[in-house]
Amino acid sequence: MNNWFKIIYIPVFLLFTLGKSQEKLTIGEKQNVFSKVLNENREIWVHLPKTYNDNTINPAKYPVIYLLDGEINFEYYTGLTDFIARTPYADIPECIVVGIKNTERTRDLTPTKSEKKSPVNPSLTLFADSGGGENFVKFIQEELKPFISKNYRTQNYSVLVGHSFGGLFAINTFLLYPDYFNAYVANDPSLWWDHKVTISRTKDYLEKNKNFPEKKSLYVSQADNEEQQKNWNSDMTQAIEEFKGIIEKNGSLNYKHRFFEGETHGTVSYPGNYEALKFIFKGFRTDIKQLAKNPKLLEEDYKQFSEKMGTNFIPSETYLNVVIKFMKSNGFKDSETYFMNLKDKYYSKK
C-alpha cells in the first residue's frame, strides 16, 4: 500500500546537444490501495500542489478534490487546478487532486441495478453489473479518504467531481451522504438512470428535510448534445432540466446550473470543471492593489470566505510573500510592515 512511484511524466530536453542531461516534469504519483469493501486493489493517482514540497515555506495543508474517471480526466484537470490557483491571480486555493481509476465503472457509479436492452442490438443486455454505488461510496469514505489524510497534508475541505455516470454518482452521494464532501460537481449527469430514480430521491429528500444542508455547493453542467436529440439517449437533457427545476424551486442550496452550447457529452467536462471550481471557491480571490490601500481587507475577506465555506481558510504563505514583495517594490511601507507582521502571525518559524 505504501509503494510510491512515478506514474505520468513529460520529458523536457533542457539541452538539445546529444549526451546532455534530461529532466522530467512529473504531474502525479500512483498509489495502490487495497479495498476490503470492494475486495480488490484500486489504483489511485495523486497530484500535489506546486508548493507542497517547497522547503522555503512552512508545510501547509490543502483541500482535496476526488476526481472520478481518473484515467480520463487526471492529466488536464491537474493542469487546470494549478493554473487557476497561481498567485497573485488565484481564483481557488492550491488543491491535492486524487484521481480514482476505474475497474468496473458501471458497477461502481450507478445507484441501483437496472438492466436494459441495447437499442442497436436487442439481443445484448446493457448494464448487467450495475448497482454497486453504495459500496463504492463506502470505499471512498471509509478507506480512501483516511488513506489520503494519513499520507498527505490535507485540509478539512473536499470536493467530489464526476461526469456522466460519475455525475450521477456525485448527486446520489450528495442526497444520501451530504456531509461526506463540502462540494459536488456533476457534469452532464446521467439522471435518466433507472426511470429517473435520482430525481425521485431528490423529491423524497426535500419532503423529509425541507431544505438542503447549509454551506454545501452543487454545480451541474449540461451539454448541448445536439446530435443526441435524435437517438435513444435523448432523455438525458429532459432529466437534467427536471432536476434543475426542483433544485432552483427550493432555493436553499448554493447551486449553479450551466448549459454549454456547442459542447457534447464527451467534451463538456473541461469547461464545466473550470467553471465549477470558480463557482465553488467564489470569494477566494483578493485584489492586491486594494490591499495596498486597506491592508486589513485581506483578513476580512478570508473571514467572510471561511464563513461561506464552513471551513477556516487563511492566506497562504506563498501569497503573503507575493503581497509583501508588491508592497515593497511599490513603496507602501506601512502596508509592507502590516503584512510582514501578518505572515509572522500565521507562519512564524519555530
Side-chain angles (χ1 to χ4, degrees):
M1 183 179 294
N2 293 319
N3 293 328
W4 295 40
F5 55 94
K6 304 301 181 185
I7 177 173
I8 300 172
Y9 61 88
I10 304 172
V12 177
F13 292 94
L14 302 180
L15 297 173
F16 292 93
T17 306
L18 290 176
K20 297 297 182 180
S21 62
Q22 177 179 331
E23 184 177 324
K24 296 175 181 178
L25 299 180
T26 304
I27 67 169
E29 297 172 332
K30 180 169 70 174
Q31 291 276 17
N32 289 298
V33 181
F34 181 78
S35 169
K36 293 181 180 179
V37 173
L38 301 173
N39 192 33
E40 66 182 11
N41 191 64
R42 297 304 297 243
E43 188 174 300
I44 308 300
W45 298 353
V46 181
H47 171 78
L48 300 176
K50 291 187 175 182
T51 61
Y52 190 91
N53 293 311
D54 187 345
N55 57 17
T56 67
I57 60 175
N58 288 277
K61 295 183 177 182
Y62 301 86
V64 184
I65 299 173
Y66 291 87
L67 181 67
L68 302 174
D69 294 321
E71 67 272 26
I72 299 173
N73 300 307
F74 189 79
E75 290 176 293
Y76 83 80
Y77 196 93
T78 54
L80 177 63
T81 56
D82 283 349
F83 180 77
I84 59 177
R86 75 199 194 286
T87 58
Y89 309 105
D91 279 312
I92 68 170
E94 288 187 293
C95 296
I96 296 171
V97 178
V98 178
I100 307 174
K101 189 176 178 182
N102 289 311
T103 55
E104 298 291 337
R105 185 176 187 269
T106 299
R107 177 200 69 187
D108 289 342
L109 300 182
T110 52
T112 56
K113 189 170 183 63
S114 180
E115 300 177 0
K116 69 184 301 181
K117 297 296 183 181
S118 168
V120 294
N121 182 4
S123 65
L124 179 65
T125 300
L126 302 177
F127 313 132
D129 62 342
S130 58
E134 186 68 25
N135 279 339
F136 191 59
V137 75
K138 187 176 182 181
F139 154 69
I140 294 175
Q141 182 66 18
E142 298 182 7
E143 296 179 322
L144 179 58
K145 289 174 75 173
F147 174 84
I148 296 298
S149 296
K150 179 181 178 181
N151 289 284
Y152 301 94
R153 301 193 306 270
T154 62
Q155 186 177 5
N156 187 30
Y157 192 92
S158 61
V159 183
L160 178 64
V161 179
H163 162 250
S164 192
F165 276 175
L168 175 71
F169 177 83
I171 291 176
N172 271 279
T173 303
F174 169 69
L175 293 172
L176 298 176
Y177 308 104
D179 292 335
Y180 281 9
F181 298 89
N182 301 88
Y184 298 79
V185 179
N187 292 303
D188 221 25
S190 301
L191 295 174
W192 52 267
W193 176 262
D194 194 7
H195 309 288
K196 300 188 286 189
V197 64
T198 302
I199 291 179
S200 297
R201 287 181 174 181
T202 306
K203 294 176 181 177
D204 291 342
Y205 181 96
L206 289 173
E207 287 179 3
K208 294 177 182 178
N209 301 281
K210 304 305 179 185
N211 293 305
F212 291 107
E214 295 182 350
K215 303 184 187 303
K216 300 291 180 180
S217 297
L218 173 62
Y219 176 93
V220 177
S221 72
Q222 180 182 344
D224 193 343
N225 287 323
E226 181 179 356
E227 77 286 356
Q228 292 189 2
Q229 303 310 312
K230 302 175 182 178
N231 67 27
W232 66 280
N233 204 23
S234 62
D235 49 0
M236 170 87 75
T237 296
Q238 180 184 353
I240 295 175
E241 290 288 346
E242 186 175 350
F243 179 79
K244 173 177 178 282
I246 296 169
I247 301 296
E248 291 184 347
K249 185 177 180 181
N250 177 266
S252 64
L253 177 65
N254 185 36
Y255 170 77
K256 183 171 183 178
H257 172 275
R258 172 69 188 276
F259 175 81
F260 284 93
E261 184 177 358
E263 298 293 345
T264 66
H265 184 67
T267 64
V268 72
S269 286
Y270 192 97
N273 282 328
Y274 174 77
E275 186 172 274
L277 286 168
K278 296 184 72 171
F279 164 71
I280 291 168
F281 293 104
K282 184 177 181 181
F284 179 80
R285 184 201 295 181
T286 59
D287 188 335
I288 196 170
K289 294 180 181 178
Q290 292 298 318
L291 298 180
K293 303 174 184 177
N294 181 10
K296 294 182 180 180
L297 186 62
L298 183 63
E299 287 186 286
E300 293 172 2
D301 284 348
Y302 269 83
K303 180 180 179 181
Q304 183 177 359
F305 179 73
S306 296
E307 290 174 352
K308 171 205 164 189
M309 303 295 280
T311 301
N312 186 46
F313 285 85
I314 61 174
S316 70
E317 187 173 1
T318 302
Y319 184 55
L320 287 174
N321 286 339
V322 170
V323 172
I324 291 168
K325 182 178 179 180
F326 175 84
M327 301 305 164
K328 183 176 182 178
S329 62
N330 288 279
F332 297 111
K333 296 292 185 181
D334 292 342
S335 295
E336 179 187 352
T337 300
Y338 179 90
F339 287 113
M340 288 180 68
N341 291 334
L342 188 62
K343 178 182 174 181
D344 288 338
K345 172 184 173 182
Y346 289 128
Y347 302 104
S348 58
K349 298 285 186 181
K350 296 182 179 179

